[in-house]
Structures are given as C-alpha cells and as structure tokens.
Amino acid sequence: MSGLWHLRLLLLWGSACLWLPYLAQGALVVSGPSNSFQEISGSQSMRQKRSTSNLVEVQSVVVDCTVTSRFAHSVMTTEALNLANVSQEIFFEVDLPKTAFISNFSMEIEGQVYVGEVKEKEKAKKDYEKAVSSGQTAGLVKASGRTMEKFSVSVNIEATGSVTFILTYEELLKRKKGHYEILTRIKPEQPVQDFEIIADIYEPQGIAFIEATATFLTNELLSLVEKTVTDTKAHISFSPTLEQQRKCPGCESTIIDGDFIIKYDVRRKETLGEVQIVNGYFVHFFAPPDLPRIPKNVVFVIDRSGSMSGTKMAQTREALKAILKDLHQEDHFALVIFDDEIVTWRNSLVKATEKNVSQAISYVKTIRDNGATDINAAVLRGVRMLVKERKNGSLPERSADMIILLTDGMPNQGESNLTRIQENVRSAVGGKMSVFCLGFGNDVDYSFLDVMSKQNKGLARRIFVGSDASLQLQGFYDEVSSPLLLEVDLRYPDNAVDFLTKNQYTQLFNGSEIVVAGQVTNNDPEHFLVEVFAKGPEKDFEVQGKAHVENMDVTFPEKNYIFGDFSERLWAYLTIQQLLENSDVGTQEEKDARTAKALDMSLRYSFVTPVTSMVVTKPETEEGSGSPLIADKLTEDQRQKAEKQGGISRAGAPHAQSKLHGLSRGSPKQRAPMFKSVADVDGDPHFIIELPERHDALCFNINDEPGTIFNLVRDPKSGFVVNGQIIGKEKIHPDAKVNTYFGRFGINHKKLGLRLEVSTQEIIVFHDGKNFKLLWSDVTSIKEINMELTLARNCSLTVTLRHSVKFEVIRHTKVWKKHQIHQDYLGFYTLDSHHLSALVHGLLGQFYHGVEFEVTDQKDSNAVMYVKQKTLNVTRHWQKDFSRNVTDGENIQCWFVSNNGTGLIDGRASDYIVSGLF
C-alpha cells in the first residue's frame, strides 16, 4: 500500500511563518502547538518536558499586496510578544517567489527600528565572515522547493518584550496559460488576534476575471473572502476572527495553514496592447487577443542513457505520449533518441497526422535506457534534420522551428567539452530555430543547458525528480506548444525613449505576454507612436498606435491602488532581470558590463538580487555586540548545488541550525516542513509517504492474518471512514509465507449519506436511500448533487464527494505464470483530502496533514531517522506506486521503516484493527 505525500508546487507570492527555537542559552526548545519543550543533551539524546502555556504570542499577521499594472508590491508584517520570564530567540520566516526581489526589511524592538541595507554581495560577505569568525550567527536565504526561496531572520527578545518584523518584496507578475497568479502561503502556527490578507489590484486595461480561494478554506471560512470588483480595480480581503481561526472551540491550534490564491486576467480589446506612460516611464503590455496559432516543426531529442533508467524513463515515455497526442495536424515532428548512439524514429520530420502520431506513440513505448550520453551528436542530428527539411521546402514557410532536448546527465561520450558543445550547436543553428533544454534531476549541469538555450533563442527549465515529473514535462510543453507570432519587433520613437528593455522576441506563445519598458525623454507623450511588426501564420502582422498617458492622481485620487513610482520600479526590475539572465552569454567584456550595470541598478533601487545582499545589524545582547543578518538571492545554479548538498545555501558557510515548520533547535540535521498530503494504499501491503519537494519518501508494510480489518481513514467531523480487509494469496508451497493484500474496502460518509462496499468482484453503492451494484467489467459515470462516480475500463473507480474528499480504488490482477495462479487485490488512492478536518486519523489519515522527520548517519542503504521524538533505523527500499500507471506502476525510492511501521505510525498497527467494514 502506498500513502503518497504529494506537494502541489505553484508559483508562490509569499509565505509567512513565525517560529521559536531555543531559549537564550540554547538549553530549551519550544515545540509549538503541543505546548511542550525539550531539554537537549547531544544530537540524539532528548528529554521532553511540559510547559503550561505558549511562550510566544503572535499578535498580528498582515499581508498587504498592491498590484499596479502587473507590478506587485507585497508587505508582510508580523508582531510577536515574548511571554516567557526569560529572554529568548524569535525567528521570522517567509517563503517568497524566487523571481521576486526583496526591497526592504526592518525589525522594531522596544521602539528601536533596525533597517536592512542593500550592499554589493562581496562587501556583505565580508561582514558575514567577520560575524562568523567572532562566533556570532547570521541570517540566511535558502532554496525552498522548486519555485520559492526562504527568508529567515532571528532576534533575541527580552522577557515580556515584543518585536515587529516587516518584509517588502516586489515582482512583475508573469502571465502563464492565460492568467496571472498571486499565491500567499500562511503558517501562523496559532490563532492570531489581528490576522488579515489584503490585495488591491489596479489594471487600466480592465479586469476580465478574478477569483480567490485557499487550500484551507472550509465552508464556514469561504464567506469571509470578500471581493469587490469594478471595471479597472479589485479589492480582496480575508480577515477571520480569533475564534474563526481555531480548529475547534477553545483549541490553541489554527486552521489557517496553507495557500491563499488569487488568479486574474485583463481585458484585451486592441491588437496593439496597452501602452502606459506614468511619471516619465512607459510600459507596453503586448498579448493581442484571438490570434490564430502558427504551425510548429519540433524535433524531440530524448536522452535514454543508463542514468535515465527506471522511473525517469517511464515518466518520459508517459509525457511524450501525451505531448504527441497534443500535436496539431498542421505541425511536423521528429524523434531523436540517444545514448552513446543516435537513433531516429524516421529519417525526416513527418506531419502530425493521426496515423503518424499513433505510430510514434507505439515507438515511444519501446524506448529503453541504455549506454552513455552523447548530447553533442544528438542535438546536431536534430538541427540537421530541420535545416534539411527547410532547404527542401518540406515545411510550411510560416512556421516555427524548435528543438526540445531532455537530458538528465553530463555528456560523457563523443564531444564532452561543454563550451565546444555550445559553440557547435550555436554555429549549426545559425539563429534559424529555437533550442529548449530540459534538465532532469540534479546530475545535469543546468548552467550549461541554460547558456545553450539562450544562445539559440530558447530557454531552459529544470525538471525535478518526483512523481509529477511527467506533468512537469507536459506543463513546459504546453507553454511553448502554440506560437502565435514569430520575430516580434516592438518599436518606439528613437528620439523619445531611452534605456529600453528587450524589445525583440523570437515568438509570442498563446497565454503569455510580452512586456517592454523604458524611460520617456521628450515632453510630448501625446504623440508617442508605438509600432509592432511580426510574422503571422498567413500574413505579416503590423499594427501601430499611440500610448495612453495615465494620470494616477486624477484617475485614482484615493491612491489605494497606486504605490509611488511603480512604473520606474517596474522598468528597473525588468532591466535588472534581463541583464542577469544574459550575464553568462557573450564575450567576457559583455558579461562584465551587464553584471556591473545590474549591480549599479540593484543598489540604486535597493533590490536584493544575485549581485547584492541585504545586511541587517541585530541589536546588542548580553553576549556582545549585534551580529549582521545576511539576505542573499540565489541563482538557479546555486539552488541546484544547494539541493545536492542537502538543501541550505548560506553565504558560503555551513548552517548552524535547522528549521522545523515554525520551530528550531540546535541540531544541524535536515528537516521536512509539514504540508498537506495525499495517502494511498496498494500492493502486498505497502504504504508510501512521498515528498517530491525533498525528492524523498517514507514507506512501511503492514502484515497480519487474512481477514483482519484495519481502519485506514477516520474523520470524526465529517463522518468519513475507510476500513480495509486483508486477504491472503494461495500458498504455492505448504511452508511458504502467506502474502497479503487488501481485498475489500468499506467506505462510509455519514453526512452525505453514502456507503460503498468494494471487493475484487463487485462494487455496491448505497446513496440517499438508493442502492445499486456495479461489476469491474462495467464502464459508467454517475453524477449527483453531492457525489460523482466514474468506473473506467482499466478497473479504476474514482469517487468525488462534494466539499469533502476525492479518492480512487483500483483493482489489480497479479499473475504467476509459472504456477498458473493469479491474485485479484485492491489499491486505495486519496486524490484530494484538504477538506477533511485536522482530526482525521487512521493508518493513512494521520499523514494527510504531514509528518516531520530527519535522516542522518547514512551509510550505503542504511541510515538513522528522527521522527515523532523517536530514533529509528531505516533502509533504502524501492516500492511500487500505481497512482499514475495502473498497469505497470512506477518504482518509488523510499526510507523503509520495518516492524509494521513502528515509530512512524502513531501507536502500534494492532491499534488500528476494527471489528467490521462499517
């Protein structure tokens, strides 16, 4: 059985969490909502004690986001009071998008304000090294998941003293798949007296749609999301009272734990787009509506070397099959498969007819890993195929040529010098096509792929190892699969603009947007002429028009939606971002010039970027003078290296302590924060808790006598219960071990009046006084007010219960041909459990709201795990997960906890035995 812990990773707009580590001398650790603290003696010896009350009270958490013409300015403010009778260290932690720039940070302590100062990274590093050499600690920024980075600072607060943390960061929202997204992750750890999320959005083009939701919203909290929308502005707020935040009346734990998400788009009436001039700067948003797509000619260059074995290869096959099905009939495509040899499916590109796509999918199913990695020869083969087809006139004149390379390792066959490979590809491409590079996992040199893409009108993307890798691959393809315009040239009056950002683009893709900004130098903005030239699918695209001069003071005198010089800061953000993106392309002189200009602008606008750091001097303590806190900005290359080393990247110094979802203690082991989970059961019986963000998983088996019934999920608030009965496989030999599986599930939801009895033979449904029987050979779909039920050909039953839970039951048939016997058994997969209450439990249910653990002392396949205040010996195992591939499953590597999961599960396995299915 496999309990899969999936982290849904979105572009975060902010994540706040306040947490407490040890007291002043480091002897005590506050453990959060359980109101406990621990005395530590060495890294593995702990003695738990009890405290009568929480030692820190979070008095206020306010997130205030203002968006003006896509440029977002977010301020996160947290106030906390030390209730202890001794001083203690209080930490402030925020997850923010890796594309955002921190622009301000301050701490107010007893009326004294400590403000961060942005410095050149090298100067800030010297301050840090000085602090470390004197035994002081410093703040840090580290990679946090795929799209975030974590900002953490701490300060010592006297008894009964208070502190206010204020962090400001800014970002130009990027349009993806037809909308913009603001996502705020909030983890206050306790009910807060003053809790508020506010978003004010101003878009002169007009707001086409806007929606707001949250992963933690219950039916009771849903009505608290207030939304006011007019033609050009929107106001969204969420401010639950102290009691509304509690998980239950009188509880000290909070239901506010997760993501608050806002999605919106603007109206697009004109083909020219929106051109605004504000305070001497202009910005041009270009994404014309209703454009037909341009055919594309794509060569997929796929690595099948030995390192792609197992799950990676299976996920690549699944993604390729889905991508091929998505091709349009006017597209052309080819497949180049490589290890140390280069193999092509066909010798030339073919049209994406239904027959060709079907044959290509059949070929993809046969791809197997083997051999070394010759990236140079493989990419050049793909380039030559496109060049030849162009020369022969076999491709539509107005179509987009692209190479999509997927690899997981370093070139170790043929040409292996990275610079020479880049030069070979650049020379062969000759500016005639785009090269997109996907780096699968952490063994690939991402910076090598990134530069090669930029040199050839493309971009690179990291594909993270995890159960959702196929979806990542398909998601990237979706972004580039529908070009609308080619060779887009946006022109502005030469005598009227200066310091222009990038204004020539190879393609405009469906659902995206081109943004150009610059400084207006003349005093005649009314005659600011804008022209756009591009290639469309049938004819050239040409449009021109005048800019719109926006007088913010007149249009919005209340200034609720405007923040100061947003147009200038938008231009500065975009300029710095583009300079840094190209700081590793070109001659050394060009690279140095771009880096120097990015540094100058970062300092001028107080942005924390990869070339600057923010330094905050902490207040003095009894131990000595205050030490500096250092906030850095990580490049993608640094993020990758940090992941290889275990997660934290900190100004070149080893980390002094770990973080634990709002807590900290003086142990340098890695910890996993708690996120919502999706748990599944399947197999002989296997449980897996998967953590894609850590590229890791936990697993255990439950073994008992056939006929035993276990409680898997029990939510007392909703009345949702899942029980499963074990069956045994027929013995091949009298003395052989009996393999066990789940053969029956009893699923009950009292509030919705639903009961399902699922066996390997049939499915019996009782709902709203009606009952009916289904066989696994049936194919049907039933939709009622509170329930949707779908039974598919692959013997999978999917059930969605409105505002409650979504799950899947799969019937498997395992065959032992040698002994001419087979075994039918069931798997249970939780697809969405976030509506279930915090009280949910059971062998699976206890993991729906996460688990904290750390692994250390790894030797070969063995290691030591710290989990739930216990020390366990664990072993590296492989387990099967059938959640995405019902027929074959996929192998998941995990830390195996023996003895029926003892130490990982609450109590013992026998505690979960029940007397009946219902």
Side-chain angles (χ1 to χ4, degrees):
M1 311 167 196
S2 46
L4 294 184
W5 183 1
H6 295 287
L7 305 188
R8 306 293 191 227
L9 296 167
L10 301 174
L11 179 64
L12 291 186
W13 188 241
S15 162
C17 176
L18 192 75
W19 44 286
L20 303 71
Y22 46 88
L23 297 184
Q25 283 72 38
L28 300 175
V29 178
V30 181
S31 67
S34 64
N35 297 334
S36 66
F37 58 90
Q38 300 166 331
E39 183 176 358
I40 296 179
S41 173
S43 61
Q44 297 182 17
S45 176
M46 309 177 197
R47 186 165 74 252
Q48 184 175 5
K49 296 186 177 181
R50 285 283 169 186
S51 170
T52 57
S53 63
N54 285 329
L55 299 178
V56 166
E57 179 183 297
V58 183
Q59 297 178 313
S60 173
V61 173
V62 178
V63 182
D64 192 345
C65 177
T66 304
V67 181
T68 309
S69 295
R70 287 63 143 191
F71 194 62
H73 172 98
S74 291
V75 181
M76 310 194 79
T77 305
T78 299
E79 299 178 27
L81 175 66
N82 177 15
L83 299 177
N85 57 8
V86 294
S87 64
Q88 65 174 328
E89 198 88 353
I90 296 179
F91 282 69
F92 172 69
E93 186 171 276
V94 174
D95 277 317
L96 62 152
K98 65 183 182 181
T99 48
F101 292 161
I102 293 172
S103 55
N104 193 29
F105 172 73
S106 66
M107 301 182 294
E108 182 176 349
I109 305 167
E110 303 301 326
Q112 180 71 37
V113 179
Y114 301 85
V115 182
E117 179 186 359
V118 176
K119 295 184 178 182
E120 182 181 354
K121 186 180 283 287
E122 289 304 312
K123 291 182 180 179
K125 187 178 178 181
K126 290 178 182 178
D127 290 342
Y128 175 88
E129 289 171 346
K130 183 179 179 181
V132 171
S133 65
S134 63
Q136 300 166 341
T137 60
L140 60 87
V141 171
K142 69 168 186 175
S144 177
R146 302 172 185 176
T147 59
M148 296 174 288
E149 56 193 23
K150 191 179 296 294
F151 172 84
S152 308
V153 294
S154 68
V155 65
N156 190 281
I157 300 298
E158 295 297 324
T160 70
S162 64
V163 57
T164 299
F165 298 101
I166 303 175
L167 179 72
T168 303
Y169 53 92
E170 300 172 34
E171 182 181 24
L172 178 64
L173 299 181
K174 188 173 183 180
R175 188 170 185 252
K176 282 188 176 182
K177 299 183 180 180
H179 68 267
Y180 310 95
E181 184 173 281
I182 306 165
L183 193 151
T184 304
R185 178 163 290 167
I186 296 293
K187 292 178 175 290
E189 302 293 336
Q190 58 180 262
V192 179
Q193 185 67 46
D194 181 14
F195 179 91
E196 191 170 24
I197 298 175
I198 307 166
D200 289 309
I201 300 170
Y202 165 67
E203 292 289 352
Q205 279 182 255
I207 296 173
F209 80 90
I210 189 165
E211 58 186 44
T213 186
T215 58
F216 51 78
L217 283 184
T218 61
N219 290 335
E220 293 79 11
L221 291 179
L222 189 62
S223 61
L224 301 180
V225 179
E226 297 182 358
K227 184 170 65 174
T228 304
V229 184
T230 62
D231 184 44
T232 58
K233 60 182 179 179
H235 175 80
I236 293 173
S237 65
F238 175 65
S239 183
T241 65
L242 197 66
E243 292 306 314
Q244 288 169 333
Q245 297 171 49
R246 300 186 191 279
K247 285 187 175 179
C248 58
C251 289
E252 289 303 315
S253 54
T254 177
I255 200 170
I256 308 298
D257 182 1
D259 302 333
F260 190 87
I261 306 160
I262 298 172
K263 294 180 181 180
Y264 78 95
D265 199 15
V266 300
R267 294 195 183 98
R268 303 176 192 279
K269 301 174 183 176
E270 299 180 6
T271 54
L272 179 66
E274 176 77 3
V275 186
Q276 302 171 19
I277 297 179
V278 182
N279 297 333
Y281 287 82
F282 86 91
V283 59
H284 183 189
F285 300 100
F286 181 71
D290 305 322
L291 290 178
R293 64 181 300 278
I294 290 177
K296 64 181 178 294
N297 315 304
V298 56
V299 179
F300 299 99
V301 182
I302 306 301
D303 185 349
R304 67 163 184 186
S305 59
S307 57
M308 286 284 290
S309 64
T311 302
K312 285 184 184 177
M313 199 71 256
Q315 291 171 326
T316 299
R317 286 194 296 266
E318 288 304 307
L320 269 177
K321 288 188 287 185
I323 288 169
L324 289 170
K325 289 177 183 177
D326 192 55
L327 290 169
H328 293 261
Q329 288 220 356
E330 64 270 23
D331 293 337
H332 289 72
F333 73 100
L335 297 171
V336 176
I337 313 301
F338 74 96
D339 42 43
D340 50 307
E341 296 182 355
I342 315 301
V343 179
T344 58
W345 170 59
R346 299 277 176 85
N347 292 328
S348 61
L349 281 82
V350 299
K351 199 169 185 180
T353 62
E354 185 175 344
K355 179 181 178 181
N356 285 337
V357 167
S358 177
Q359 291 176 351
I361 289 174
S362 298
Y363 175 76
V364 165
K365 292 178 181 178
T366 68
I367 299 175
R368 296 294 181 268
D369 53 277
N370 181 46
T373 308
D374 191 348
I375 293 176
N376 182 73
V379 176
L380 292 181
R381 176 72 65 86
V383 172
R384 285 197 298 270
M385 292 175 75
L386 276 169
V387 170
K388 180 181 177 182
E389 296 299 313
R390 276 289 173 198
K391 187 176 180 181
N392 293 341
S394 305
L395 304 176
E397 181 182 353
R398 292 177 179 269
S399 58
D401 296 344
M402 58 180 72
I403 302 280
I404 297 181
L405 165 68
L406 171 67
T407 182
D408 78 329
M410 297 289 288
N412 54 16
Q413 183 74 20
E415 180 60 72
S416 59
N417 182 282
L418 302 184
T419 303
R420 281 199 289 269
I421 294 174
Q422 290 168 343
E423 179 54 33
N424 290 344
V425 173
R426 188 193 63 78
S427 177
V429 167
K432 298 174 183 177
M433 64 192 71
S434 297
V435 177
F436 299 98
C437 297
L438 304 177
F440 202 154
N442 271 332
D443 294 328
V444 70
D445 188 326
Y446 177 78
S447 60
F448 156 65
L449 298 179
D450 188 41
V451 170
M452 189 161 69
S453 294
K454 291 171 183 174
Q455 289 174 335
N456 298 285
K457 300 181 178 181
L459 56 90
R461 183 73 56 83
R462 290 179 64 194
I463 302 299
F464 296 85
V465 175
S467 60
D468 66 338
S470 290
L471 297 178
Q472 294 178 60
L473 291 167
Q474 293 173 53
F476 169 81
Y477 173 76
D478 288 343
E479 290 181 38
V480 301
S481 63
S482 296
L484 303 178
L485 294 173
L486 303 178
E487 306 302 330
V488 185
D489 185 7
L490 304 101
R491 301 179 188 177
Y492 312 92
D494 292 335
N495 60 348
V497 298
D498 204 354
F499 304 113
L500 197 63
T501 61
K502 180 180 177 181
N503 66 320
Q504 294 181 332
Y505 288 80
T506 305
Q507 303 108 344
L508 171 69
F509 294 107
N510 187 38
S512 68
E513 181 178 62
I514 290 174
V515 183
V516 182
Q519 186 175 354
V520 179
T521 57
N522 68 7
N523 295 319
D524 191 16
E526 295 293 341
H527 296 89
F528 190 92
L529 185 67
V530 179
E531 299 174 293
V532 181
F533 300 91
K535 291 181 180 180
E538 297 177 357
K539 61 181 180 179
D540 289 345
F541 177 94
E542 295 183 12
V543 63
Q544 65 177 29
K546 293 181 181 179
H548 172 65
V549 181
E550 190 71 48
N551 189 330
M552 299 298 187
D553 293 333
V554 174
T555 309
F556 288 88
E558 72 276 19
K559 291 185 179 290
N560 286 344
Y561 297 81
I562 310 303
F563 57 95
D565 51 355
F566 89 90
S567 56
E568 181 178 354
R569 296 188 70 80
L570 184 157
W571 163 79
Y573 172 92
L574 195 56
T575 300
I576 294 169
Q577 187 184 60
Q578 291 175 358
L579 286 169
L580 293 172
E581 283 177 353
N582 292 288
S583 61
D584 50 5
V585 178
T587 66
Q588 191 60 47
E589 185 178 355
E590 291 170 334
K591 295 177 186 178
D592 292 342
R594 294 189 190 106
T595 301
K597 187 174 180 181
L599 172 61
D600 178 66
M601 291 188 65
S602 298
L603 294 172
R604 191 191 321 165
Y605 291 94
S606 293
F607 283 144
V608 178
T609 70
V611 292
T612 57
S613 297
M614 179 173 282
V615 180
V616 182
T617 302
K618 296 169 67 173
E620 294 185 5
T621 63
E622 294 180 359
E623 284 74 29
S625 60
S627 59
L629 301 166
I630 307 295
D632 282 327
K633 183 76 175 174
L634 305 180
T635 65
E636 196 63 42
D637 194 43
Q638 290 170 326
R639 292 172 65 88
Q640 185 187 32
K641 290 176 181 175
E643 289 167 18
K644 288 182 180 179
Q645 296 166 0
I648 292 181
S649 176
R650 179 181 177 180
H655 58 280
Q657 51 198 357
S658 62
K659 277 157 288 300
L660 170 58
H661 188 59
L663 312 176
S664 175
R665 81 185 196 210
S667 169
K669 308 175 190 69
Q670 182 182 2
R671 286 186 177 270
M674 292 175 61
F675 296 90
K676 296 206 182 287
S677 61
V678 179
D680 316 321
V681 302
D682 210 331
D684 175 18
H686 307 309
F687 291 70
I688 305 177
I689 310 162
E690 189 180 355
L691 297 89
E693 185 169 308
R694 282 184 65 170
H695 315 307
D696 214 342
L698 309 178
C699 53
F700 61 96
N701 293 349
I702 296 292
N703 297 303
D704 213 297
E705 295 296 321
T708 304
I709 301 173
F710 286 100
N711 173 245
L712 303 180
V713 184
R714 180 180 299 276
D715 182 17
K717 188 171 182 180
S718 66
F720 179 65
V721 177
V722 181
N723 294 324
Q725 184 176 39
I726 287 179
I727 58 174
K729 185 184 77 119
E730 176 186 342
K731 283 188 179 183
I732 298 172
H733 302 291
D735 298 328
K737 173 191 170 184
V738 177
N739 291 337
T740 55
Y741 308 85
F742 273 116
R744 294 173 68 210
F745 288 129
I747 303 166
N748 194 25
H749 198 299
K750 287 186 178 179
K751 282 192 175 182
L752 297 182
L754 172 74
R755 194 173 88 170
L756 291 174
E757 185 173 346
V758 184
S759 70
T760 55
Q761 290 82 37
E762 62 189 13
I763 302 150
I764 303 175
V765 184
F766 300 87
H767 187 235
D768 283 345
K770 299 175 292 185
N771 68 82
F772 52 89
K773 182 189 295 186
L774 300 172
L775 300 177
W776 285 104
S777 57
D778 296 335
V779 177
T780 187
S781 180
I782 301 168
K783 186 172 183 179
E784 299 187 7
I785 295 175
N786 292 317
M787 179 194 76
E788 289 186 29
L789 181 151
T790 302
L791 182 58
R793 294 182 188 279
N794 59 3
C795 290
S796 66
L797 171 73
T798 304
V799 180
T800 302
L801 303 181
R802 189 180 180 201
H803 299 314
S804 182
V805 67
K806 182 177 181 179
F807 59 88
E808 182 179 31
V809 179
I810 299 174
R811 190 193 74 167
H812 302 281
T813 300
K814 190 171 183 177
V815 179
W816 289 266
K817 294 181 180 179
K818 181 178 178 181
H819 302 284
Q820 296 184 339
I821 61 174
H822 75 276
Q823 177 69 56
D824 292 336
Y825 63 94
L826 303 176
F828 182 92
Y829 297 88
T830 314
L831 305 181
D832 185 356
S833 63
H834 82 273
H835 285 294
L836 296 179
S837 77
L839 301 176
V840 66
H841 207 263
L843 280 173
L844 295 181
Q846 64 187 285
F847 299 113
Y848 284 171
H849 295 297
V851 63
E852 306 160 358
F853 75 96
E854 55 189 42
V855 175
T856 187
D857 299 337
Q858 183 175 354
K859 295 179 181 178
D860 298 324
S861 61
N862 300 310
V864 174
M865 176 184 291
Y866 299 88
V867 60
K868 296 185 178 179
Q869 301 179 356
K870 299 180 182 67
T871 302
L872 308 178
N873 293 317
V874 295
T875 309
R876 207 64 169 153
H877 272 211
W878 289 93
Q879 300 283 31
K880 277 279 190 181
D881 166 28
F882 291 89
S883 61
R884 288 178 175 80
N885 186 334
V886 175
T887 305
D888 301 321
E890 60 182 67
N891 288 315
I892 299 293
Q893 200 171 26
C894 59
W895 291 110
F896 180 76
V897 180
S898 60
N899 194 22
N900 285 342
T902 301
L904 177 61
I905 64 172
D906 295 336
R908 298 167 300 176
S910 58
D911 297 336
Y912 299 85
I913 296 176
V914 294
S915 58
L917 277 182
F918 297 99

